[in-house]
Amino acid sequence: MMAHGSTPETTAPKSVTLRRRLIAEVEELAGPRGFSSVTDQALSQWVAREKLRRAIADYEQRAGVISTEEMAAIEAEIGGL
């Protein structure tokens, strides 16, 4: 699996507990062999959103709340969240 950059990353097994219904839905949509790829993609997106959320919270703590207009300009510049 390739990271967002161009260098390959090593992988490691990790045991997780998930709801059976969710597992079934992922396997139906991605196939039983696509489960790890979907999980990797979802966690990568979660990490990116969490880093952004924390950066915004840190900025707002130092500089004040970001206005609706400022957020709209940021979203327009980066293509939305």
Side-chain angles (χ1 to χ4, degrees), residues 34-72:
F35 195 91
S36 290
S37 178
V38 169
T39 304
D40 185 81
Q41 183 180 29
L43 288 173
S44 293
Q45 291 173 354
W46 179 85
V47 166
R49 284 191 311 269
E50 184 63 16
K51 286 180 177 180
L52 178 59
R53 186 194 67 75
R54 290 179 184 200
I56 290 170
D58 180 60
Y59 174 85
E60 288 184 331
Q61 185 175 26
R62 290 181 286 108
V65 176
I66 298 172
S67 72
T68 303
E69 294 80 17
E70 290 170 316
M71 189 58 78

Side-chain angles (χ1 to χ4, degrees), residues 12-20 22-23 35-36 39-40 43:
K14 183 70 178 174
S15 176
V16 297
T17 302
L18 302 169
R19 294 172 301 211
R20 291 179 192 271
L22 183 59
I23 293 168
F35 195 91
S36 290
T39 304
D40 185 81
L43 288 173

